[in-house]
């Protein structure tokens, strides 16, 4: 077996420590370490179960980027908080001092990105064995023979026990995620939520790839039987994971991808799925991963006696998660890649009940809706509160997009035009009225419309132009109730539809105002029209 310790060591990076260093351990060894050290327990069927403590999700308000010559004109500062080079230097010195005191460290050398010419070498240094297992599961794992010559381009140091000092480090609290793109160093402290590492690598690639003309995307992707790739954008709750997990299509990945001249490639080598209320009947492939050795379950409740799992118990977290290698999914792509897309699907769950179940978008309309990143959530859980709440997250992933959204939007528009890609807006939300009046769009209808879009037959349908949004909507589709295709006709209260549509159009227009100076006339003309 090849040596798993690279020639380029921590000392070569200026990191001095007397800790026992565990380099590039594989799954069994890391699980063994985690259990021995009391970091987690094994469930009945083999997965490692861990708790992340008070942080059960990302600490978005505690993420900072160093503002310097590299980033000053390249970062979308309206969407990012900054710290100075001096504050980062103090933080780095304190991190290195902590590392020097550790008795044990776990180091993993990994790739961000599955396409070799566009991947980035990432070294991750952890004080927790389960964190090292998590990131090794989520990123792309080098072959053994690639490790001896591995040299990191970026390094992540993750110390959950580190306590940041707001006065000294410029942080908000004792928790910190600090990104220095010039030094190619990311420091994570004061949180045991492992997803911070994964999203940090996503942020790195989202910064680096546009310069190379590669489109980074917060999306899922799959391949049809004819080799046709489809990309699914969508915020939480829109059906991104569910609709891309199609047994008749090959899964490329569930969350983060790049679109190069030759491929759609997964940034990751694993999946990170929500576990709360997971159903074996509804999501059998994901459920099966919870019965396998090598899966890491975060904040899932476990019976201490029987080691049975309870996915319905949210006492530890609503955001309970499972990390597992992508090859745990039966129909996953062997190389995490597929051809360039034939179809792009933008998913929205419109709780206002205004948008049609499917619409065809021009390249300009696709850029408009990509920059808008719209969905609508049911407002709160109070009795009697039925008014939906609009959510706009540009590029369908604003927290992870360091550059200005127009950079990603223009790249998307160029690639759509160059590849003659078909673009669709799919509403998985409400029909027949807004939330509280109407009903959820039937999944059977959504799947039928999506299948028709992906197999190309929908392009042959008769279309009408939507009065509010200007995109094309099919008038009839075989196997789908014709009435559901025209949202206004599904409402008993036609005046109520018109008023609600006018409200939604205004929300779109108001949200897009901040992008108007950054897009061309064609995209401006793709905006919905106020009555």
């Amino acid at each position: 077996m090849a040596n798993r310790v690279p020639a380029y060591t921590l000392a070569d990076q200026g990191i001095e420590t007397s800790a026992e260093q565990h380099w590039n351990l594989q799954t069994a060894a890391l699980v063994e370490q985690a259990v021995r050290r009391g970091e987690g327990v094994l469930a009945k069927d083999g997965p490692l179960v861990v708790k992340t403590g008070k942080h059960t999700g990302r600490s978005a308000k505690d993420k900072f980027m160093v503002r310097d010559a590299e980033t000053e004109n390249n970062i979308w500062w309206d969407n990012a908080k900054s710290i100075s080079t001096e504050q980062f230097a103090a933080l780095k010195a304190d991190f290195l001092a902590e590392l020097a005191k550790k008795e044990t460290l776990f180091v993993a050398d990994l790739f961000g990105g599955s396409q070799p010419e566009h991947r980035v070498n990432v070294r991750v240094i952890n004080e927790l064995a389960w964190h090292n297992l998590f990131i090794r599961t989520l990123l792309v794992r080098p072959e053994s023979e690639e490790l001896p010559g591995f040299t990191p381009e970026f390094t992540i140091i993750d110390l959950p026990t580190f306590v940041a000092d707001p006065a000294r480090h410029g942080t908000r609290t004792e928790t910190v995620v600090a990104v220095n793109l010039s030094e190619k160093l990311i420091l994570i402290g004061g949180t045991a939520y492992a997803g911070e590492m994964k999203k940090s690598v996503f942020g790195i690639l989202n910064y680096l790839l546009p310069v190379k003309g590669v489109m980074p995307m917060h999306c899922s992707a799959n391949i049809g039987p004819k080799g046709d790739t489809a990309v699914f954008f969508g915020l939480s709750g829109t059906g991104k994971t569910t609709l891309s997990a199609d047994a008749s299509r090959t899964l490329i990945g569930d969350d983060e991808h790049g679109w190069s001249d030759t491929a759609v490639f997964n940034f990751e080598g694993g999946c990170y799925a929500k576990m709360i209320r997971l159903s074996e009947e509804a999501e059998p492939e994901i459920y099966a991963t919870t019965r396998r050795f090598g899966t890491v379950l975060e904040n899932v409740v476990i019976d201490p006696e029987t080691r049975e799992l309870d996915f319905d118990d949210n006492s530890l977290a609503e955001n309970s998660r499972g990390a597992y290698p992508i090859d745990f999914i039966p129909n996953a792509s062997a190389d995490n890649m597929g051809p360039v897309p034939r179809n792009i699907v933008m998913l929205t769950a419109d709780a206002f009940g205004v948008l049609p179940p499917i619409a065809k978008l021009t390249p300009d309309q696709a850029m408009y809706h990509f920059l808008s990143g719209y969905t609508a959530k049911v407002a709160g859980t109070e009795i009697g509160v039925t008014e939906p709440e609009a959510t706009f997250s540009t590029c369908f992933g604003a927290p992870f997009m360091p550059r200005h959204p127009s950079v990603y939007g223009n790249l998307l528009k160029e690639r759509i035009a160059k590849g003659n890609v078909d673009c669709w807006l799919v509403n998985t939300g409400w029909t027949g009225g807004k939330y509280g009046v109407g009903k959820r769009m039937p999944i059977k209808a959504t799947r039928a419309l999506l299948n028709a879009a992906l197999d190309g037959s929908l392009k042959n349908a008769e279309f009408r132009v939507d009065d509010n949004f200007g995109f094309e909507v099919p008038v009839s589709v075989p196997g789908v109730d014709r009435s559901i295709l025209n949202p206004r006709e599904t409402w008993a209260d036609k005046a109520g539809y018109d008023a609600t549509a006018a409200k939604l159009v205004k929300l779109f227009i108001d949200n897009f105002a901040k992008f108007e100076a950054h897009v061309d006339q064609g995209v401006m003309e793709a905006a919905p029209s106020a009555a």
Side-chain angles (χ1 to χ4, degrees):
M1 186 179 87
N3 180 13
R4 301 186 70 84
V5 181
Y8 191 81
T9 65
L10 296 187
D12 294 318
Q13 294 183 260
I15 298 173
E16 299 295 337
T17 177
S18 57
E20 180 184 6
Q21 298 172 28
H22 295 280
W23 283 85
N24 294 309
L25 295 186
Q26 297 185 65
T27 300
L30 284 169
V31 171
E32 186 177 45
Q33 286 279 352
V35 172
R36 180 187 294 149
R37 290 159 52 89
E39 297 174 6
V41 297
L42 288 179
K44 184 169 75 73
D45 296 307
L48 179 69
V49 183
V50 298
K51 297 177 183 177
T52 64
K54 67 176 183 177
H55 293 280
T56 59
R58 290 186 308 105
S59 299
K61 293 180 180 178
D62 294 307
K63 182 178 180 180
F64 300 87
M65 300 195 75
V66 175
R67 196 162 190 154
D68 59 14
E70 167 68 31
T71 59
E72 181 63 44
N73 298 316
N74 291 321
I75 296 298
W76 181 31
W77 289 110
D78 290 352
N79 192 49
K81 291 186 285 298
S82 67
I83 56 173
S84 68
T85 53
E86 293 78 14
Q87 288 166 329
F88 185 85
L91 184 68
K92 177 182 175 182
D94 292 347
F95 258 78
L96 294 182
E98 283 294 311
L99 275 184
K101 293 188 286 188
K102 296 298 176 189
E103 294 182 359
T104 309
L105 291 173
F106 300 89
V107 189
D109 290 325
L110 301 158
F111 298 132
S114 297
Q115 190 168 12
E117 55 266 48
H118 299 305
R119 70 192 183 194
V120 61
N121 291 5
V122 181
R123 174 166 290 171
V124 186
I125 304 168
N126 300 111
E127 62 177 320
L128 295 177
W130 84 259
H131 267 194
N132 208 243
L133 173 60
F134 171 92
I135 199 61
R136 185 179 181 277
T137 302
L138 265 296
L139 294 188
V140 179
R141 297 164 288 282
E143 299 295 332
S144 294
E145 58 270 20
E146 294 177 291
L147 290 172
F150 188 98
T151 302
E153 296 167 66
F154 278 80
T155 299
I156 299 172
I157 304 174
D158 191 339
L159 303 177
T161 58
F162 183 88
V163 179
D165 178 353
R168 174 170 162 78
H169 303 132
T171 59
R172 185 182 71 101
T173 66
E174 294 180 344
T175 299
V176 62
V177 179
V179 180
N180 189 323
L181 290 168
S182 298
E183 293 190 27
K184 299 185 175 181
L185 178 63
I186 298 172
L187 304 175
I188 303 172
T191 172
Y193 180 67
E196 298 286 11
M197 294 182 285
K198 160 190 156 70
K199 289 303 183 186
S200 292
V201 177
F202 188 31
I204 290 169
L205 288 163
N206 289 343
Y207 182 78
L208 296 176
L209 291 180
V211 179
K212 302 171 70 175
V214 177
M215 174 69 191
M217 304 177 290
H218 187 211
C219 68
S220 59
N222 64 24
I223 313 168
K226 296 179 181 178
D228 56 302
T229 297
V231 164
F232 300 80
F233 291 104
L235 300 175
S236 180
T238 58
K240 178 164 61 91
T241 299
T242 301
L243 291 172
S244 63
D246 183 334
S248 68
R249 299 175 66 86
T250 300
L251 181 69
I252 301 174
D254 75 330
D255 199 32
E256 300 166 4
H257 296 82
W259 178 358
S260 71
D261 289 337
T262 57
V264 168
F265 62 98
N266 195 347
F267 286 172
E268 303 180 295
C271 300
Y272 194 35
K274 288 185 177 179
M275 291 287 137
I276 194 68
R277 291 175 286 279
L278 182 67
S279 158
E280 184 172 18
E281 181 182 0
E283 297 182 271
E285 293 88 358
I286 295 175
Y287 193 90
T289 69
T290 68
R291 294 177 170 175
R292 292 191 62 170
F293 181 82
T295 292
V296 181
L297 298 177
E298 293 178 336
N299 302 314
V300 173
V301 173
I302 181 172
D303 186 299
E305 300 287 334
T306 65
R307 302 296 177 92
E308 294 275 1
L309 300 168
D310 185 351
F311 296 109
D312 295 325
D313 189 334
N314 67 349
S315 59
L316 290 176
E318 183 69 22
N319 188 39
S320 57
R321 293 271 182 166
Y324 48 87
I326 194 168
D327 58 22
F328 279 15
I329 300 295
N331 62 328
S333 163
D335 55 6
N336 283 358
M337 290 196 289
V340 294
R342 283 293 314 121
N343 289 278
I344 287 175
V345 179
M346 297 183 189
L347 298 166
T348 181
D350 177 28
F352 289 99
V354 168
L355 294 178
I358 197 165
K360 192 172 191 312
L361 305 178
T362 66
D364 283 325
Q365 289 169 339
M367 181 172 174
Y368 183 90
H369 285 276
F370 178 71
L371 289 177
S372 297
Y374 166 73
T375 193
K377 297 177 180 177
V378 177
T381 55
E382 295 176 42
I383 295 173
V385 176
T386 59
E387 188 63 24
E389 187 178 299
T391 298
F392 294 94
S393 183
T394 186
C395 307
F396 295 98
F400 321 117
M401 302 296 176
R403 295 182 183 271
H404 192 276
S406 60
V407 171
Y408 308 104
N410 282 315
L411 254 177
L412 183 70
K413 182 181 169 184
E414 289 166 15
R415 289 208 166 275
I416 289 170
K418 182 179 178 182
N420 195 26
V421 181
D422 291 320
C423 299
W424 310 91
L425 183 71
V426 171
N427 174 24
T428 61
W430 271 255
T431 182
K434 64 184 180 181
Y435 171 79
V437 179
K439 60 183 180 180
R440 195 74 193 252
M441 196 73 69
I443 186 69
K444 186 177 178 181
T446 300
R447 285 201 179 277
L449 291 167
L450 192 56
N451 289 340
L454 297 186
D455 69 20
S457 62
L458 190 55
K459 288 194 289 184
N460 300 321
E462 178 189 351
F463 286 85
R464 65 175 178 84
V465 175
D466 185 85
D467 291 336
N468 297 299
F469 284 84
F471 41 47
E472 291 190 326
V473 181
V475 174
S476 65
V477 177
V480 177
D481 180 359
R482 185 184 179 111
S483 66
I484 207 172
L485 295 170
N486 189 335
R488 190 175 190 273
E489 295 306 309
T490 67
W491 283 53
D493 178 6
K494 301 295 191 285
Y497 173 86
D498 293 338
T500 306
K503 176 182 177 180
L504 183 59
V505 165
K506 185 175 187 309
L507 289 171
F508 264 86
I509 292 170
D510 291 348
N511 173 72
F512 204 81
K514 58 182 174 287
F515 300 127
E516 290 178 357
H518 302 278
V519 300
D520 60 28
Q521 188 62 29
V523 177
M524 287 300 300
E525 291 172 358
S529 55

